[in-house]
Amino acid sequence: MAILRIIIIFFLFQVKSYSLIEVDITRGNLNPLPIAVSPLATDKDSKQKFKNEVKVDDLGAEISKVVENNLITSGLFNPLPKDSFLQEPDIAHFKPRFEDWKLIKAQALITGKVEYIDEKLRVEFRMWDVLAAKEIMALAFTTVPSNWRRVGHIITDKVYERLTGEKGYFDTRIIYVAEEGPKTQRIKKLAIMDQDGFNTKYLTLGNELVLTPRFNPTNQMVTYLSYFRNLPRVYLLDIETGIQEVVGDFPGMTFAPRFSPDGKKIIMSFATGGNSDIYTMDLENRVVERITNHPSIDTSPSYSPDGKYICFNSDRSGYQQIYIMNSDGSNVRRISFGRGLYGTPVWSPRGDLIAFTKLHSGKFYIGVMRTDGEGERLLTENFYQEAPSWSPNGRVLVFYRETKTDDKGEGFSAKLWSIDLTGYNERQVPTKTDASDPSWSSLLSN
Amino acid sequence: MTLNKIFKNTLILISACLLLSACATQKTVTTDGSQMQGDVYTGTDTVKELAPGVPDRVFFATNESILTTASRETLRKQAEYLRKNSSMNIVLEGHADERGTREYNLALGERRANAAKDYLMTYGISASRISVISYGKERPVDSGSNTLAWSKNRRSVTVKAN
């Protein structure tokens, strides 16, 4: 036993001391790491079988494109053009000629192969430290061929984790509201897609207004607001089965729902007689608890990841500001004191920050502050944008932004955008239609 | 810097468009003044009638749910009409303009519709005849993004329910 332990420690030590590449994600990354993503090698026979089954000509190459696109959007990596690669994919995967990859200035190299075995897709991939001329990661897994895009996302997560030291966020989905039609009669549907914009599915038909879908952080349940039968109420939806139900039995509008971090409660606002307060409902025993009791508007509640605190939005000072309280509603204190109005506070999954929407002098900002309200940083400014949602690793925010599309400032389009916590790397997230109210899922696999 | 520039250009464009549209419709409005008092809409552009001489909606100042003198006058007329038609039920639809977060605006719309409801009740209209729904900023009546459009959108509309 003692000998084994020593060997393990030695091995870990060695990997750490010889690994030259690492990516710092705590600052805006202006020099993305040059990385070569070799197409995953596929033998002739497998290629044909994949082509028949999932209608993709070269599945190995397509999976590597998924990885490449993820690496680009992360802003931390610079995937090198494939036409500069000198080595064939299958040989590179077996044994890279490091001097060839050094020549094109790659610091890391990803190689792999896909095979069709027993109607399954078997993937093997390796990551190589080009400068140190050594393998730094190897992994293999098997799945159904139709899952091939997820294979690309899982590979990216492993690469990201190995090089940044933090969990990735690529094998995830985003639920959002798909929008169409004129602003005065907007049609809204619940939609879900992979975080890179593929595999869009619509979950409602657009017959009733739907707003603010949010993922359960522990499974694939969703809570959202629906105007079904003109009764705006919070609903719970199982996106695998499509089964949904109203949350609680409230004699008025319930809205602004979110799950507790353990996924067992829904926290939301209930409005009656001109006053909105915050309530929770336990999903197991259906017990409803009133958390705030104040004549002002209390809404947009969000739990801290340990479940001990709740941040929320209240106008008890006269205008919208951000407050924090204990999860039983005690010890309420205001934390936003900057100029302007503050809304939609969302607690980071890392626990240290609260993201928010700020309105000031006719502009909307997405920002973050520490949980004591100090250290406010505004990440992005625009005419209309709101509703930040954290990536599961707490490094990226997705939100929605409306832009005017004609000279009169009348036509408009709503799109999803993402931005790093650093304020760098702002990107539009591709959606098939106009989109709003994004919510990022937790990692699907681990 | 560039953002500022874009902002300024857009402002110039918007004000130019406002001027142009004002000329095109032959209105003598040079500012929004004649259709707004403070920032509460006082015009008749989007207003429908619940019955002849009974306007269907009241308007609010930014972030407010206080009824203005004109709003109270409108609601008195509505109450009178509802007393005469005692079998009629109504829905009060509360709305906010787009300059606010979605969830807060849902609460604000509910607060506005309830301000109208409370006032109707002081004129003897039973709470059982009135239901309230908030649309927040989801159903603007004017899709524009300017002070006049916003003032039309901050409203509580009385709709016959039967």
Side-chain angles (χ1 to χ4, degrees):
Chain A
M1 278 310 280
I3 292 167
L4 189 68
R5 203 170 295 152
I6 289 164
I7 289 168
I8 290 167
I9 290 165
F10 178 68
F11 178 71
L12 287 175
F13 179 69
Q14 197 184 37
V15 168
K16 211 171 165 71
S17 62
Y18 283 91
S19 184
L20 299 174
I21 35 176
E22 57 183 48
V23 176
D24 183 357
I25 54 177
T26 58
R27 281 174 286 155
N29 202 303
L30 301 174
N31 293 307
L33 183 89
I35 188 166
V37 186
S38 176
L40 308 191
T42 321
D43 63 84
K44 228 176 174 179
D45 194 34
S46 296
K47 204 181 237 178
Q48 191 56 45
K49 281 177 174 149
F50 287 132
K51 194 175 171 181
N52 294 342
E53 195 163 330
V54 294
K55 316 287 177 233
V56 173
D57 279 346
D58 186 348
L59 197 72
E62 288 304 313
I63 291 174
S64 77
K65 283 183 198 163
V66 172
V67 175
E68 227 172 38
N69 182 50
N70 283 338
L71 292 173
I72 291 169
T73 54
S74 80
L76 302 172
F77 303 94
N78 173 27
L80 300 166
K82 285 186 165 54
D83 53 18
S84 64
F85 298 176
L86 299 170
Q87 215 177 357
E88 286 301 315
D90 50 341
I91 308 169
H93 182 58
F94 180 65
K95 181 73 191 145
R97 237 177 3 256
F98 291 108
E99 54 279 17
D100 284 2
W101 299 101
K102 242 181 252 176
L103 200 66
I104 62 167
K105 307 243 179 329
Q107 291 192 37
L109 166 66
I110 295 166
T111 65
K113 66 173 179 182
V114 290
E115 286 171 285
Y116 188 92
I117 300 174
D118 299 334
E119 298 181 355
K120 292 270 175 65
L121 162 61
R122 185 180 182 278
V123 193
E124 195 181 290
F125 83 98
R126 296 196 177 105
M127 183 158 59
W128 311 83
D129 183 332
V130 173
L131 301 180
K134 62 192 284 285
E135 179 186 311
I136 51 174
M137 188 171 51
L139 206 75
F141 52 94
T142 304
T143 181
V144 289
S146 60
N147 255 348
W148 65 271
R149 293 198 67 89
R150 277 195 65 194
V151 168
H153 297 316
I154 292 167
I155 292 174
T156 320
D157 280 326
K158 298 298 172 194
V159 168
Y160 182 98
E161 188 174 351
R162 182 65 185 78
L163 295 179
T164 68
E166 298 200 9
K167 285 267 182 214
Y169 54 89
F170 299 98
D171 187 23
T172 55
R173 297 194 279 185
I174 292 173
I175 191 161
Y176 63 99
V177 173
E179 303 192 357
E180 57 189 315
K183 203 166 185 176
T184 51
Q185 290 165 296
R186 203 74 165 147
I187 292 168
K188 299 196 174 192
K189 301 174 193 172
L190 281 192
I192 188 166
M193 64 180 188
D194 296 350
Q195 55 70 33
D196 61 352
F198 283 81
N199 293 324
T200 303
K201 286 192 197 90
Y202 298 97
L203 304 174
T204 64
L205 297 169
N207 296 331
E208 61 277 323
L209 180 61
V210 293
L211 302 169
T212 63
R214 272 93 192 232
F215 266 112
N216 186 321
T218 64
N219 58 35
Q220 295 299 307
M221 300 287 277
V222 164
T223 181
Y224 72 107
L225 171 59
S226 171
Y227 276 67
F228 183 62
R229 292 186 175 151
N230 273 331
L231 296 171
R233 295 290 185 277
V234 169
Y235 282 74
L236 186 65
L237 167 67
D238 184 327
I239 51 180
E240 303 302 332
T241 64
I243 294 170
Q244 53 182 319
E245 55 175 313
V246 182
V247 175
D249 182 22
F250 291 88
M253 175 170 71
T254 48
F255 62 109
R258 272 183 208 281
F259 286 92
S260 61
D262 62 8
K264 291 179 179 164
K265 278 183 188 177
I266 287 180
I267 188 164
M268 63 200 148
S269 283
F270 165 51
T272 183
N275 181 32
S276 298
D277 277 315
I278 293 170
Y279 289 72
T280 58
M281 192 183 92
D282 190 304
L283 293 172
E284 278 166 25
N285 58 24
R286 308 274 143 177
V287 171
V288 170
E289 258 184 275
R290 184 176 190 151
I291 307 296
T292 66
N293 192 344
H294 195 280
S296 66
I297 290 172
D298 291 340
T299 190
S300 301
S302 167
Y303 276 102
S304 62
D306 61 8
K308 288 181 181 163
Y309 304 97
I310 296 162
C311 60
F312 66 104
N313 198 196
S314 177
D315 64 357
R316 56 187 66 194
S317 71
Y319 294 99
Q320 274 182 278
Q321 296 292 342
I322 298 172
Y323 291 75
I324 282 187
M325 60 187 167
N326 297 347
S327 60
D328 63 358
S330 64
N331 195 17
V332 176
R333 58 227 184 256
R334 177 174 164 183
I335 62 162
S336 65
F337 289 95
R339 292 170 69 189
L341 308 180
Y342 291 79
T344 72
V346 201
W347 215 302
S348 155
R350 306 165 71 86
D352 55 342
L353 293 171
I354 289 169
F356 56 82
T357 307
K358 173 173 173 149
L359 291 74
H360 180 53
S361 296
K363 288 198 183 166
F364 281 62
Y365 303 82
I366 304 293
V368 292
M369 59 174 70
R370 291 206 302 270
T371 58
D372 59 2
E374 296 295 316
E376 175 177 317
R377 279 192 297 125
L378 299 177
L379 305 179
T380 165
E381 168 195 312
N382 214 279
F383 294 109
Y384 293 100
Q385 54 186 7
E386 67 163 299
S389 172
W390 292 94
S391 64
N393 70 352
R395 284 292 173 194
V396 184
L397 288 162
V398 61
F399 57 94
Y400 94 92
R401 171 182 292 167
E402 285 180 15
T403 42
K404 303 295 158 193
T405 53
D406 69 15
D407 293 349
K408 290 184 195 159
E410 285 191 354
F412 84 113
S413 102
K415 298 288 180 201
L416 305 187
W417 290 76
S418 67
I419 191 164
D420 285 7
L421 191 49
T422 55
Y424 288 91
N425 195 34
E426 184 175 278
R427 283 168 194 274
Q428 192 182 318
V429 180
T431 49
K432 287 203 163 149
T433 59
D434 270 14
S436 61
D437 290 4
S439 171
W440 213 318
S441 80
S442 46
L443 279 172
L444 297 172
S445 59
N446 250 310
Chain B
M1 276 308 279
T2 32
L3 256 179
N4 252 334
K5 224 177 194 175
I6 292 167
F7 182 56
K8 271 180 199 153
N9 286 341
T10 318
L11 264 186
I12 291 165
L13 263 176
I14 290 172
S15 34
C17 293
L18 280 176
L19 277 175
L20 278 174
S21 60
C23 295
T25 51
Q26 293 289 315
K27 277 182 192 165
T28 48
V29 186
T30 45
T31 65
D32 296 333
S34 67
Q35 294 189 63
M36 289 170 73
Q37 200 168 46
D39 76 342
V40 180
Y41 185 66
T42 52
T44 53
D45 188 16
T46 56
V47 181
K48 293 176 188 142
E49 289 188 322
L50 210 56
V54 185
D56 72 336
R57 64 194 63 200
V58 294
F59 299 97
F60 298 88
T62 301
N63 272 323
E64 290 293 347
S65 56
I66 297 164
L67 298 170
T68 61
T69 313
S71 296
R72 289 199 294 269
E73 178 60 29
T74 296
L75 291 169
R76 270 195 295 274
K77 286 178 189 164
Q78 290 188 2
E80 200 177 318
Y81 170 70
L82 288 168
R83 274 202 309 272
K84 281 181 200 154
N85 297 276
S86 56
S87 63
M88 182 182 291
N89 293 341
I90 54 163
V91 182
L92 295 171
E93 300 178 346
H95 299 267
D97 67 36
E98 62 182 348
R99 292 169 309 154
T101 52
R102 194 186 304 294
E103 292 172 343
Y104 182 82
N105 280 1
L106 287 171
L108 185 57
E110 202 264 350
R111 193 191 254 173
R112 283 175 177 157
N114 272 286
K117 178 182 173 179
D118 289 346
Y119 197 74
L120 289 175
M121 284 169 66
T122 65
Y123 279 83
I125 307 303
S126 157
S128 63
R129 296 174 63 191
I130 308 171
S131 52
V132 159
I133 187 168
S134 172
Y135 286 100
K137 60 173 169 177
E138 307 307 317
R139 290 285 178 263
V141 70
D142 187 325
S143 60
S145 294
N146 52 67
T147 44
L148 184 60
W150 292 324
S151 73
K152 292 179 201 169
N153 291 336
R154 292 187 299 269
R155 68 203 193 275
S156 170
V157 183
T158 305
V159 179
K160 294 175 192 172
N162 56 346

